[in-house]
Amino acid sequence: MREKNIEAKHINALIDEEISRYWNIESRSANSIQIYRALSVVIRDMLLKKHNQFKNFVNKNEQKQVYYICMEFLVGKSLRNNLYNLKIENETEIALKKYNIKLEDLYVIEKDPGLGNGGLGRLASCFMDSLATQGYPATGFSIKYEFGLFKQKIIDGWQTELPDDWLTTSDVWLVAKTEERVVVKFDGKIREEWTTSGLVIHHDYPTEIEAVPYDMFISGYDGDGVSLLRLWESKSLNSIDMNLFSQGDYIRALSEDSMAEAISKVLYPADNHYEGKILRLKQQYFLVSASAQTIVKKHYKKYKTLDNLSDKAAIHINDTHPALIIPELMRILMDDYGYSWEKAWYIVVNTVSYTNHTVLSEALETFDIDIVKTKLPRIFMIISEINRRFLQEAGSKYNDFNKAEQMSVFGYDKINMANLCIIGSHTVNGVAKLHSEILRRTVFKKFYEYSPYKFMNVTNGITHRRWLNQSNPRLKNLLDDLIGADYTKHPSKLSELKKYIDDDVVLHKLDEIKYENKKLLAEFIYNTYQISVNTDSIFDIQAKRLHEYKRQLLNALRIISLIIDINEGNTTHIKPETFIFAAKAAPGYYRAKEIIQMIVALSDYINKNPNIKKYINVVFVENYSVSLAEIIMPAGELSEQISLAGKEASGTGNMKFMLNGAVTIGTYDGANVEIINQVGEENFFLFGLRDYEVESLWKTGYSSIHYYQKSLKLRKIIDFLNKGIPSKSFESISKYLLGDSQVGDPYMCFADFDSYLDAHNKASSVYFDDKRKWNQMSLVNIASAGIFSSDRTIKEYADSIWNIKSI
Ligand SMILES: *Cc1c(COP(=O)(O)O)cnc(C)c1O
């Protein structure tokens, strides 16, 4: 069903009206930016209306809703996604003929709202699509960062960061709801007053900051559902401090103002790494306080009580970043609505659920007690009381208060946010089977023993409507022809492709489609970098944040090893291969930036050496983002998912590549494990240590030197790095790999090196000696990807965590 039979001429009328209203010109003389804006506003208003109808229906039926709280939403571009989901792309294309413009020309105008770092924020966005498509009433809450994730530019081989001014084009998707603004309080003093009606809490001398909501609507596919993403902007409550102003301290009056507005200025650019900074704490509390106030206010207005909050609202915290919503809800229920501690606690725990996204210790958030105490005095009191009561209860149950103490929210003068989340939620989940198991076995062991019923797994997913139907139209068309378009709403039907496993015509078509997509990526690379890549080579791609645990370095070591072989004339085993990297490093993560520098140096070196370039090439594509991923994924043949086992919680890049027909070379880690279960080991190039082997090797004492001494290849690689590429020495990386008399690289690249080379050799012999078999492997990967649809993920959350029903 197409959106209410909208025809091209209706779209024209709406665009014309918008252009005339806004710019007071004839639509025929409008430029492409004006048409982009007019069309976007038309679609936005369509969605606004549709969302109102959806919401009215939900309210009438008193349906339970989900509120998804996340510091990051990596939404990607909106125009194409919404036109696709409303099923009016064709009609719009026809309408645009009037202005002599193509949809593609408008799509490139829009800038990605980069309101996230990577996988975490992209997951949240895929969830908004799957929630809407399946008719679940959902609101996402996040921050309207004026500057999203930085734009990456390589200058003289080094990553530099440029501001991302996404609002210059994507502001059209936002609707300001100024009248629904709320006030968030920081600082000040808490004063308790006993009155005849009980204890009253006063928050004296607070710094008050206004949170102004901006709403973005995300259309579901082919149905009535529309998700709302509410983004908060911070504003100084008194646009200027009149006191300071009248005292003549004009500059300070303004600077207070910019302190308030700093909260929603910029997204912290570190992925899987906590900062513990005051501004970050303020951002977190700002988000949860504004969101919690809104949820509670709306609920109370409708039901005139909060007793049934957990029956009508599921509040989900994505990672620990929004952990403070637990004490914030307690504050609102007790201080603003007069609930007792016990009653409030029962409601809060039954409303809140929490997803853990990492086991990396440097990513587990803590904040200094002193900072929380001064910035959020009331919240600090409540956290202390939550912890006191929990330890009391656990200590009595165990009859051992020292044992209970191991689960304390406080330790080493810090607040442990994950512990707070577990204590304050009814359900805690990991994001892939292996990850959930590791949580139970290690990081959350004590809590798992204490309350095993809280722990479960929900494996991540991606929306195949963006990551296949929209971004890989050739493959979509082939699938539509072969198995019908049902998989668009029922992704498990992708498995019907399996019946073509021996069909040479289909296998050939898959091959052709991949080739076309490789040509598109090659064109993009040529136009951007003037580097020509061999489209007959295998496209071997690693696209994800740059992180030691993800081991881009292992990939680079193999490239160096190939270069050494070629330089020595030892080329019989070398097959044409194009290595494509895309990765942003956190601006303060020196080691990661150095690895980028090395990859770029390898790329430059090869492109100046025709003898090496005959065989292999390396390209570093700047500024990895959703839009770039949409070009990269369809062209991938080998998907590099090579994290050290036990470190990658799930990964979703692995799923995107698989869905587009890439075969994975990877470790037994995160969702790779489940990919192997789906496709079979024969359709996956598995290598490396298992997570438990990594653990025991680490315990018995890992030493990279041991591998170095045994391997001529590794020794040559280290020599190569020390000598320089071609003259810039990478000695610091070779030192890192070997460690000076220490363990060496903690992510054990050397331990997995031989096994990695073996897996690659297997992959290239299938690819170059038996292309038919390769195409079959590719087909099995596409056909097995249905389970990794976020539609399945969301259904599991809805059924077993949130207890919400679809409409
Ligand atoms: C999918 C995606 C990621 C996550 O990639 P992983 O390989 O799972 O780490 C990060 N960034 C962008 C832009 C993505 O689209």
Side-chain angles (χ1 to χ4, degrees), residues 394-451:
S396 318
K397 238 184 221 168
Y398 279 150
N399 198 18
D400 180 346
F401 286 85
N402 289 327
K403 189 171 173 188
E405 191 64 36
Q406 296 174 337
M407 294 184 283
S408 177
V409 172
F410 299 109
Y412 305 102
D413 297 329
K414 306 260 192 215
I415 298 184
N416 179 323
M417 303 303 259
N419 290 8
L420 177 61
C421 286
I422 301 171
I423 294 167
S425 309
H426 59 85
T427 307
V428 178
N429 74 286
V431 289
K433 281 179 188 159
L434 178 69
H435 169 63
S436 297
E437 183 207 309
I438 291 173
L439 288 180
R440 289 186 291 244
R441 198 179 68 218
T442 64
V443 259
F444 295 157
K445 186 168 192 281
K446 295 281 171 336
F447 282 103
Y448 177 58
E449 285 164 4
Y450 185 71
S451 49

Side-chain angles (χ1 to χ4, degrees), residues 29-260:
S29 50
N31 64 30
S32 57
I33 293 178
Q34 289 168 323
I35 293 175
Y36 158 78
R37 294 190 76 90
L39 173 62
S40 299
V41 169
V42 166
I43 303 301
R44 181 199 72 191
D45 289 347
M46 237 180 241
L47 291 174
L48 177 69
K49 213 164 121 190
K50 210 173 157 181
H51 178 259
N52 283 338
Q53 290 164 356
F54 187 55
K55 202 169 70 177
N56 291 342
F57 189 85
V58 171
N59 282 337
K60 206 175 77 211
N61 289 285
E62 305 195 341
Q63 283 234 0
K64 187 171 183 180
Q65 314 187 39
V66 63
Y67 298 95
Y68 198 82
I69 324 284
C70 187
M71 289 287 281
E72 307 188 5
F73 278 82
L74 201 49
V75 287
K77 295 185 184 185
S78 290
L79 180 57
R80 186 182 63 183
N81 188 58
N82 286 324
L83 291 178
Y84 181 84
N85 281 0
L86 291 168
K87 300 177 94 173
I88 54 171
E89 234 185 339
N90 289 338
E91 292 69 22
T92 309
E93 189 75 272
I94 295 167
L96 290 178
K97 286 197 174 127
K98 175 174 174 188
Y99 321 108
N100 219 345
I101 200 159
K102 290 196 155 29
L103 260 178
E104 275 304 323
D105 305 328
L106 300 187
Y107 291 158
V108 295
I109 291 171
E110 186 177 354
K111 292 182 186 173
D112 277 40
L115 308 184
N117 274 286
L120 176 92
R122 186 52 234 171
L123 181 78
S125 294
C126 284
F127 282 4
M128 290 293 113
D129 178 290
S130 287
L131 282 159
T133 298
Q134 298 183 101
Y136 292 111
T139 303
F141 282 107
S142 195
I143 293 176
K144 176 172 163 274
Y145 303 105
E146 189 178 332
F147 298 97
L149 186 60
F150 64 88
K151 281 195 291 198
Q152 179 194 52
K153 188 138 189 60
I154 306 296
I155 298 177
D156 294 331
W158 190 251
Q159 168 179 299
T160 27
E161 296 88 23
L162 302 172
D164 158 47
D165 54 349
W166 66 284
L167 282 166
T168 55
T169 64
S170 292
D171 58 326
V172 278
W173 295 101
L174 301 174
V175 181
K177 289 282 178 71
T178 315
E179 72 288 357
E180 294 185 42
R181 66 195 183 274
V182 294
V183 173
V184 179
K185 293 181 184 176
F186 295 89
D187 309 315
K189 293 261 176 301
I190 301 304
R191 182 166 47 88
E192 298 179 328
E193 185 196 354
W194 288 97
T195 67
T196 46
S197 54
L199 178 66
V200 176
I201 300 289
H202 300 276
H203 192 161
D204 294 336
Y205 319 113
T207 306
E208 297 192 320
I209 289 174
E210 207 164 62
V212 184
Y214 287 78
D215 288 352
M216 182 187 273
F217 301 95
I218 299 161
S219 175
Y221 176 78
D222 184 33
D224 297 323
V226 178
S227 291
L228 165 62
L229 176 56
R230 173 160 283 199
L231 302 172
W232 296 106
E233 181 181 86
S234 64
K235 270 191 88 66
S236 170
L237 187 59
N238 311 307
S239 64
I240 190 159
D241 186 327
M242 287 315 290
N243 238 336
L244 290 171
F245 191 68
S246 57
Q247 286 164 25
D249 201 343
Y250 181 72
I251 299 297
R252 234 183 87 206
L254 285 176
S255 85
E256 297 277 316
D257 189 41
S258 59
M259 283 298 284

